[in-house]
Amino acid sequence: MKDEITREERVDNLKGMGCSRKRVEDARFTQGKGNYVDDIKLDGMLFGDFVRSPYAHARIKNIDTSAALEVPGVLAVLTAADLEPLGLHWMPTLAGDKQMVLADGKVLFQGQEVAFVVAEDRFAAADGIEAVVVDYEELPVIVDPFKALQSDVVLREDLVAEDGTIPDGAHGPRKHPNHIFTWEAGDKAPTEEVIANADVVAEESMYYHRTHPCPLETCGCVASMDKVNGKLTLWGTFQAPHAIRTIVSLISGIEEHNIRVISPDIGGGFGNKVGAYPGYVCSVVASIVTGKPVKWVEDRMDNLMTTAFARDYWMKGKISATKDGKITGLQCHVTADHGGFDACADPTKFPAGFMNICTGSYDIPTAYLEVDGVYTNKAPGGVSYRCSFRVTEAVYFIERMVEVLAIKLNMDAAELRRINFIKKEQFPYTAALGWEYDSGDYHTAWDKALKAVDYDGLRKEQAERVAAFKRGETRKLMGIGLSFFTEIVGAGPVKNCDILGLGMFDSCEIRIHPTGSAIARLGTISQGQGHATTFAQILASEIGLPADSITIEEGDTDTAPYGLGTYGSRSTPVAGAATAMAGRKIRAKAQMIAAYLLEVHDNDVEFDVDRFAVKGAPEKFKTMKEIAFAAYNQAIPGIEPGLEAVSYYDPPNMTYPFGAYVCVMDIDVDTGVPEIRRFYALDDCGTRINPMIIEGQVHGGLTEALAVALGQEIAYDDMGNCKTGTLMDFFLPTAWEVPNYETDFTVTPSPHHPIGAKGVGESPHVGGVPCFSNAVQDAFRPFGNTHTNMPHDHWRIWKTANELGLHD
Amino acid sequence: MIPAAFEYYRPQDMAGVLAILEEHGDDARVMAGGHSLIPMMKLRMADVPHLIDLQDVGGMSDIDVGTDSITIGALVTQSDIIDHAGLAAAAPILREAALQIADPQVRYMGTVGGNVANGDPGNDMPGLMQCLDATFTVVGADGTRDIPAREFYEAAYMTAREDDEVLTTVTIPTPKGGWAYEKQKRKIGDYATAAAAVQITKDGDTCSSVSIAMTNLSDTPIYSEAAGAALVSTTVDDAALKAAMAAMLEDIDPTEDNRGPVAFKKHVAGVILRRAIERAWSRA
Ligand SMILES: Cc1cc2nc3c(=O)[nH]c(=O)nc-3n(C[C@H](O)[C@H](O)[C@H](O)COP(=O)(O)OP(=O)(O)OC[C@H]3O[C@@H](n4cnc5c(N)ncnc54)[C@H](O)[C@@H]3O)c2cc1C
């Protein structure tokens, strides 16, 4: 047989790994043809919505639903009393706590779900909500976690024994009724000793404020109970559809095979859609009660005020070093405000997520971390907003501590980082707090980044600017923000990562069709990451069929293999690995078929792009397309018909993407307005599957980082009123606020991942937040600033300038 | 966010509008672009059982640039203002201000009449109109009357317009000299942290007249006569600027909100005013 096209053309035709293949999803998204939860309309579908508490802490004395039931179109109003006989008035959280589905005697945060109004449409539901009369008795409100640990106001009476003793929580002993857990990593005494005897110690307290993932599409679901066949179908904005199926089965008692969970198109998740919410439970119950499908979709205020927030970490750190700047020890204490219920979405054994990655990219011999979780009268959550579990917090902490240490040492912060980086030859590197970093080449990335931005030139310019400012020639200061981050993603090895006892493996199942096209199903679910594009590329390279001939399907638990879903940048590290492994199984069988067809021994053929060819005789080959057909039309001795494979992948380790970011910012001292002049982002995510998608992910993650660093927050007043419940006050940047981003990369493949990929969706957020923040802080460093808390909105920047006497 | 039920009317002429207003009194409200009113209804902060859409009434969408004065129909949108070349030449401050309101989508819908009638201290056009010494013409059951913009605003959402009157026209004496609309905001689509409208004329090197109004720094727009007086007959030097800023600060009364505390707002108000004056002066 003659080969008409070159090998290079054959590679291009596959659109496999490394190709900036256009996103196959975009045709429908850009034409308004997506299918989101709120697009689902079923015959006779009802709409449910919540009566929510206006108070942050109150006892409920009575709920009168009679007037609501008179509102035209209202069919039912559920309260905790209705759910109690089913045992559904409370539900388990992913963090080992439990949460009220509907207020059971009291409310613990503003916006808490009090009653569920079921009506013929959402308009009638809204009128019904107005007509429900709730009699509240206000209780003292605690919004400060430090005060919570001193207060004799008990927020969670359900967690205190009748004799007043405090039973252990899911993560061990509790010190106070409002205390949730203490979690430790590392060695306390040796760390304290190192710090006590160090040449130099820098200390800082910092607050990583509360914010919110705020996906464009809010959370919602449609529950449909078919009473004839006993099957429950639940469509929803679920980042982990299989886990939701298992949870629904466990709490409802419906057998798991009778539950079908479907995640349709999802308009962004960023961690907000990992957990289980009262809306899901109430919709299911309402569908069972009414026998009709029931839809629940949050509005923007519901979303910002009630479903999973992120951060709210009060961090106190000490970092010690020799006088030459070699870091010797690190200590961190966190007071973590979890709100009224502990509904963090972390692997079970990690109540503070992977906060113990807080030694960062540095070779720090001794470290100790202690985290105290606390209840307050705020909404529950504590999810990983565009990051792996609590990694933004950890990276912010260390990247601020390094800057604070640089100030103490009177050293350049770039140089201080360089002399402390873990060296290339130290990998795999076991950090003081336990993680084994798989790979890295930090010095190369750092040098490339500093050169790209002409770091020395920037510092010179900055010094000139300070001089000009002091001479009264300008009112603008210049800040140079640096950050070097190491992420820990791809949760994770089943030996240490599970959620509700479900190991955090992931999966892929492939079916090759006779004509040489394919469908692959995964246990993950895209929320905008472009899985249908990139996973097809992995497969194209692995099995030699064009990516355009491969359909990727996710999100339907009746068809997709079990998996733990998409968050924490785990899809490529875990499901991507499963995809490659399943592809390799296909290839192994294809090799046998090819050998049979070519009448040679199995070992005498080799894979080449899109075919198996006889070794040493490349003109003798069978394309994968031909092999696929043969798999279905020939009786091959010793080989079953068909060409399918499934792989469940339990990763041996996490992956550790890293990157080097630099931000140049000009700050108007008089108005507090920052202007980002330049942002350079170098990411190393190992093997690059689709450079264009990587760039898109970096742009998105940086934009959310800009938001968090420069203004995005969920703020409460002393009464526990949420002050930032709409997009007028909650900062969501638009094209106008976003600077131009320069992206760059190095490639350090993961040694244990089948294709060497590490995950990238969250890196830019993790590295971006400290970079923007450091730029603000750095602008004021020449005037004595060591640290100010985020978010750096206009008035807080102005306040920093004011306190440093720059307005006099 | 679902509004309470309401009746929707779309009368074809002003008589139809006035009849519905008369019939339902307080329970009826007119709607122009709906971009202030509908959000309030959705939040159930405004209860409007009878909603009267002005879009089909006609005769309120013209911009007329005369020699001495400019008239702008109440239904002229912010986007129309930006696109009107004659207006941009005659009163460039209108375009400069309109470009700082919300975003293009909102500006396609939001009207001049709605913006000035709304009475929200956050709206940019009330202060602008006070700076320009505009007159608002309203029509009611008893005919039309004119109300000067500088006398229109009583408190937040409280204006000199009666509930059964409709604002039809804004008339502005053709502005002279240099201009600036300076606004600090947190992001696109945000109301001002502080904004200043300045229109200034010079005679040789000295300032001959000036008009200054501030936005979102009190529960109404603030026309600061004193700030203007501090500049007239000066060369708009540093001392005069400082005097104008100090006079303005006497007139405003900002409150703390998510944009920041009072001290910050006052400081920024001064800075914004100074920049507005400097820019206007450079164009005078
Ligand atoms: C996201 C967003 C951002 C915004 N940002 C800004 C901003 O930065 N600056 C700014 O100034 N505005 C801003 N706005 C408001 C916007 O400019 C509104 O369009 C404007 O305030 C009102 O105009 P409207 O035509 O939409 O009025 P409507 O919403 O229709 O009406 C507003 C009020 O005025 C009354 N009314 C309207 N027309 C008349 C009339 N002819 N006679 C009597 N009463 C009348 C109505 O009854 C109602 O009470 C923003 C709006 C949005 C949604």
Side-chain angles (χ1 to χ4, degrees):
Chain A
M1 225 189 276
K2 190 121 178 38
D3 203 3
E4 302 94 55
I5 61 170
T6 64
R7 186 170 190 279
E8 207 175 299
E9 286 168 319
R10 289 195 280 124
V11 171
D12 288 349
N13 286 346
L14 289 185
K15 298 192 189 164
M17 287 200 292
C19 151
S20 281
R21 181 183 184 220
K22 285 205 173 140
R23 292 179 16 129
V24 297
E25 295 90 342
D26 290 347
R28 72 176 190 282
F29 291 154
T30 54
Q31 294 179 57
K33 295 280 160 54
N35 184 39
Y36 298 90
V37 132
D38 209 14
D39 293 323
I40 293 169
K41 294 185 175 76
L42 304 176
D43 271 354
M45 188 172 76
L46 306 176
F47 197 90
D49 204 354
F50 287 107
V51 174
R52 296 182 179 277
S53 170
Y55 300 108
H57 195 197
R59 212 164 293 291
I60 294 186
K61 292 164 68 183
N62 187 45
I63 303 176
D64 182 355
T65 62
S66 53
L69 290 167
E70 298 296 314
V71 172
V74 172
L75 300 177
V77 182
L78 300 178
T79 64
D82 301 306
L83 300 183
E84 191 170 357
L86 307 167
L88 291 176
H89 55 319
W90 289 72
M91 63 178 184
T93 70
L94 296 182
D97 193 4
K98 53 184 182 144
Q99 174 175 354
M100 290 178 215
V101 172
L102 290 172
D104 183 19
K106 73 182 290 192
V107 287
L108 287 161
F109 64 93
Q110 187 185 49
Q112 188 177 330
E113 301 80 1
V114 173
F116 191 65
V117 175
V118 186
E120 280 165 6
D121 56 46
R122 61 181 89 201
F123 303 95
D127 290 339
I129 288 168
E130 288 266 298
V132 174
V133 182
V134 186
D135 189 3
Y136 296 95
E137 177 190 316
E138 285 183 71
L139 296 170
V141 172
I142 307 179
V143 290
D144 175 338
F146 299 98
K147 286 187 186 149
L149 291 178
Q150 307 296 324
S151 175
D152 49 17
V153 176
V154 177
L155 302 185
R156 292 286 300 274
E157 285 104 337
D158 61 300
L159 298 180
V160 179
E162 266 173 33
D163 64 2
T165 56
I166 306 163
D168 283 4
H171 308 287
R174 295 161 55 228
K175 300 187 264 211
H176 182 278
N178 299 330
H179 180 243
I180 311 173
F181 63 81
T182 299
W183 186 66
E184 286 177 294
D187 304 314
K188 185 171 185 180
T191 306
E192 284 178 346
E193 197 182 316
V194 165
I195 290 173
N197 298 318
D199 293 353
V200 181
V201 179
E203 288 185 45
E204 194 54 72
S205 295
M206 55 190 93
Y207 177 45
Y208 200 139
H209 60 289
R210 181 178 274 239
T211 181
H212 195 282
C214 193
L216 286 190
E217 179 205 28
T218 59
C219 299
C221 70
V222 178
S224 180
M225 183 75 201
D226 184 331
K227 287 196 171 166
V228 178
N229 64 18
K231 288 216 182 241
L232 170 70
T233 308
L234 184 61
W235 290 262
T237 48
F238 309 129
Q239 287 183 241
H242 285 96
I244 291 285
R245 185 184 71 191
T246 303
I247 295 170
V248 170
S249 177
L250 289 174
I251 68 178
S252 71
I254 302 172
E255 277 196 272
E256 204 166 348
H257 74 105
N258 277 332
I259 303 172
R260 179 179 182 191
V261 174
I262 302 175
S263 294
D265 283 330
I266 297 183
F270 313 116
N272 181 236
K273 295 169 179 170
V274 175
Y277 294 121
Y280 306 159
V281 179
C282 289
S283 301
V284 170
V285 172
S287 180
I288 294 172
V289 170
T290 61
K292 297 201 168 156
V294 176
K295 179 187 277 186
W296 165 73
V297 176
E298 291 180 309
D299 67 24
R300 181 60 59 196
M301 291 179 80
D302 296 341
N303 181 253
L304 287 173
M305 291 171 65
T306 68
T307 49
F309 77 92
R311 319 334 171 194
D312 217 341
Y313 258 32
W314 298 84
M315 306 186 282
K316 250 173 98 104
K318 284 186 191 169
I319 189 165
S320 63
T322 65
K323 38 185 191 320
D324 312 327
K326 185 76 193 76
I327 301 172
T328 55
L330 179 75
Q331 193 171 356
C332 176
H333 181 272
V334 181
T335 302
D337 185 339
H338 286 219
F341 304 96
D342 187 9
C344 289
D346 293 314
T348 306
K349 292 181 198 128
F350 298 90
F354 303 156
M355 183 66 199
N356 56 344
I357 194 78
C358 66
T359 51
S361 314
Y362 311 104
D363 183 14
I364 302 180
T366 326
Y368 174 67
L369 163 72
E370 185 181 38
V371 182
D372 282 301
V374 184
Y375 291 119
T376 61
N377 290 120
K378 299 186 194 170
V383 294
S384 319
Y385 165 12
R386 204 159 184 151
C387 64
S388 194
F389 312 99
R390 298 288 187 186
V391 175
T392 38
E393 291 89 324
V395 170
Y396 184 74
F397 172 75
I398 184 67
E399 287 305 286
R400 284 300 306 142
M401 288 311 292
V402 168
E403 293 276 327
V404 171
L405 179 62
I407 292 168
K408 188 101 187 180
L409 288 161
N410 196 20
M411 223 175 135
D412 177 75
E415 185 56 21
L416 179 61
R417 284 180 174 85
R418 188 200 317 273
I419 62 178
N420 285 290
F421 282 145
I422 302 161
K423 295 188 191 71
K424 190 178 172 184
E425 56 276 13
Q426 286 176 279
F427 292 95
Y429 170 86
T430 303
L433 295 177
W435 294 111
E436 188 192 290
Y437 294 25
D438 65 346
S439 58
D441 183 355
Y442 300 164
H443 287 94
T444 301
W446 197 229
D447 290 344
K448 190 174 182 187
L450 297 184
K451 190 156 172 257
V453 299
D454 181 20
Y455 180 69
D456 295 338
L458 287 174
R459 283 290 175 209
K460 234 179 98 204
E461 186 190 344
Q462 186 188 36
E464 283 160 13
R465 180 75 74 85
V466 170
F469 182 89
K470 288 182 174 162
R471 288 194 303 268
E473 291 163 17
T474 176
R475 295 297 291 163
K476 282 192 178 169
L477 293 174
M478 174 178 163
I480 302 165
L482 302 175
S483 101
F484 196 99
F485 65 92
T486 298
E487 257 254 79
I488 168 170
V489 306
V494 173
K495 62 177 188 290
N496 51 15
C497 290
D498 72 88
I499 285 186
L500 288 180
L502 304 166
M504 295 180 73
F505 59 83
D506 228 287
S507 58
C508 174
E509 182 202 278
I510 306 170
R511 296 182 186 179
I512 311 290
H513 306 316
T515 51
S517 66
I519 183 162
R521 298 189 171 96
L522 289 84
T524 44
I525 174 72
S526 188
Q527 306 123 37
Q529 293 91 337
H531 289 179
T533 307
T534 48
F535 287 132
Q537 290 181 257
I538 296 177
L539 269 184
S541 292
E542 290 290 342
I543 66 174
L545 292 172
D548 290 344
S549 301
I550 302 169
T551 296
I552 300 290
E553 204 181 88
E554 301 175 303
D556 182 342
T557 59
D558 264 10
T559 56
Y562 206 101
L564 266 280
T566 295
Y567 41 86
S569 280
R570 64 184 300 280
S571 298
T572 296
V574 192
T579 304
M581 298 309 270
R584 286 171 196 182
K585 289 184 187 174
I586 296 278
R587 210 160 81 188
K589 184 167 177 183
Q591 180 167 6
M592 294 193 280
I593 298 172
Y596 172 82
L597 297 174
L598 292 164
E599 299 179 15
V600 294
H601 192 271
D602 287 357
N603 292 332
D604 292 334
V605 293
E606 63 188 352
F607 186 69
D608 179 43
V609 185
D610 58 352
R611 63 190 54 182
F612 276 97
V614 175
K615 283 184 187 162
E619 71 287 356
K620 288 194 189 130
F621 63 85
K622 288 288 167 192
T623 64
M624 284 301 294
K625 217 173 141 116
E626 293 169 317
I627 295 167
F629 200 66
Y632 288 91
N633 82 340
Q634 301 218 4
I636 304 173
I639 300 179
E640 286 179 4
L643 195 51
E644 300 188 2
V646 56
S647 170
Y648 283 80
Y649 189 79
D650 177 11
N653 191 2
M654 309 279 187
T655 61
Y656 297 78
F658 59 91
Y661 292 176
V662 183
C663 172
V664 185
M665 198 183 269
D666 294 303
I667 289 179
D668 184 329
V669 166
D670 293 320
T671 58
V673 176
E675 198 179 313
I676 297 147
R677 197 200 307 172
R678 191 162 182 197
F679 200 101
Y680 168 90
L682 179 150
D683 275 280
D684 191 321
C685 59
T687 304
R688 291 158 59 83
I689 299 165
N690 181 323
M692 183 193 69
I693 287 195
I694 291 174
E695 195 174 334
Q697 291 289 313
V698 171
H699 283 208
L702 288 176
T703 300
E704 285 181 321
L706 174 149
V708 170
L710 299 185
Q712 185 179 84
E713 68 174 322
I714 295 288
Y716 291 88
D717 68 14
D718 290 345
M719 299 300 293
N721 297 307
C722 179
K723 299 196 289 178
T724 50
T726 76
L727 297 184
M728 184 57 78
D729 287 309
F730 184 86
F731 176 41
L732 208 60
T734 67
W736 188 267
E737 288 84 15
V738 173
N740 183 48
Y741 299 122
E742 299 163 53
T743 57
D744 204 347
F745 62 97
T746 55
V747 177
T748 311
S750 165
H752 62 78
H753 188 277
I755 59 168
K758 295 181 173 177
V760 75
E762 300 172 331
S763 296
H765 191 67
V766 166
V769 176
C771 192
F772 286 110
S773 179
N774 280 344
V776 175
Q777 320 253 11
D778 183 68
F780 293 108
R781 178 176 167 176
F783 301 90
N785 172 60
T786 46
H787 175 80
T788 64
N789 284 328
M790 295 188 293
H792 306 294
D793 57 3
H794 298 173
W795 93 257
R796 287 179 177 97
I797 291 179
W798 176 88
K799 183 164 165 266
T800 302
N802 196 262
E803 285 168 0
L804 294 172
L806 303 183
H807 294 148
D808 303 338
Chain B
M1 278 178 266
I2 306 244
F6 56 86
E7 281 303 321
Y8 176 79
Y9 305 83
R10 206 175 167 106
Q12 304 297 307
D13 53 31
M14 189 56 80
V17 176
L18 295 177
I20 303 165
L21 281 174
E22 189 168 16
E23 183 182 346
H24 296 288
D26 262 6
D27 280 350
R29 243 154 106 180
V30 297
M31 177 177 77
H35 272 50
S36 285
L37 185 55
I38 291 178
M40 297 290 274
M41 289 169 66
K42 286 183 161 186
L43 291 166
R44 296 198 177 210
M45 285 157 80
D47 182 20
V48 183
H50 299 275
L51 186 69
I52 311 167
D53 194 332
L54 293 180
Q55 295 295 341
D56 283 353
V57 169
M60 290 193 286
S61 299
D62 295 329
I63 297 174
D64 190 5
V65 181
T67 359
D68 298 330
S69 70
I70 298 166
T71 57
I72 300 172
L75 285 190
V76 167
T77 65
Q78 292 143 18
S79 163
D80 295 336
I81 299 263
I82 292 166
D83 287 347
H84 197 285
L87 188 63
I93 193 172
L94 287 173
R95 184 166 193 272
E96 183 160 300
L99 279 168
Q100 297 180 67
I101 292 178
D103 55 56
Q105 283 178 312
V106 173
R107 298 197 295 252
Y108 285 129
M109 295 302 293
T111 65
V112 173
N115 200 298
V116 299
N118 194 28
D120 183 334
N123 281 134
D124 287 290
M125 290 199 160
L128 178 68
M129 294 305 170
Q130 291 194 338
C131 168
L132 294 174
D133 198 14
T135 300
F136 303 150
T137 305
V138 299
V139 57
D142 304 331
T144 65
R145 64 184 180 117
D146 288 342
I147 311 169
R150 291 178 190 171
E151 290 165 22
F152 191 73
Y153 298 96
E154 294 166 352
Y157 301 103
M158 306 273 284
T159 67
R161 182 182 64 85
E162 297 298 330
D163 283 343
D164 56 0
E165 287 177 323
V166 179
L167 196 151
T168 56
T169 322
V170 175
T171 307
I172 302 165
T174 306
K176 297 190 183 66
W179 73 93
Y181 194 79
E182 183 85 22
K183 175 178 178 181
Q184 179 166 341
K185 57 186 172 187
R186 295 170 297 178
K187 57 179 177 184
I188 282 296
D190 194 17
Y191 294 96
T193 301
V198 176
Q199 194 76 43
I200 196 164
T201 59
K202 63 160 75 164
D203 183 5
D205 280 343
T206 56
C207 167
S208 46
S209 75
V210 60
S211 168
I212 290 171
M214 308 297 293
T215 289
N216 218 13
L217 293 160
S218 286
D219 67 347
T220 63
I222 294 296
Y223 171 66
S224 180
E225 210 172 340
L231 293 174
V232 174
S233 308
T234 73
T235 54
V236 191
D237 54 4
D238 188 56
L241 285 163
K242 285 195 172 125
M245 285 156 66
M248 178 276 294
L249 288 174
E250 288 296 310
D251 287 345
I252 62 170
D253 184 18
T255 49
E256 174 165 352
D257 60 19
N258 285 338
R259 293 178 184 83
V262 171
F264 164 68
K265 288 192 173 181
K266 285 192 164 170
H267 189 259
V268 167
V271 174
I272 292 299
L273 176 58
R274 183 185 184 113
R275 288 178 188 178
I277 297 169
E278 283 172 342
R279 191 142 48 94
W281 185 240
S282 75
R283 289 162 163 172

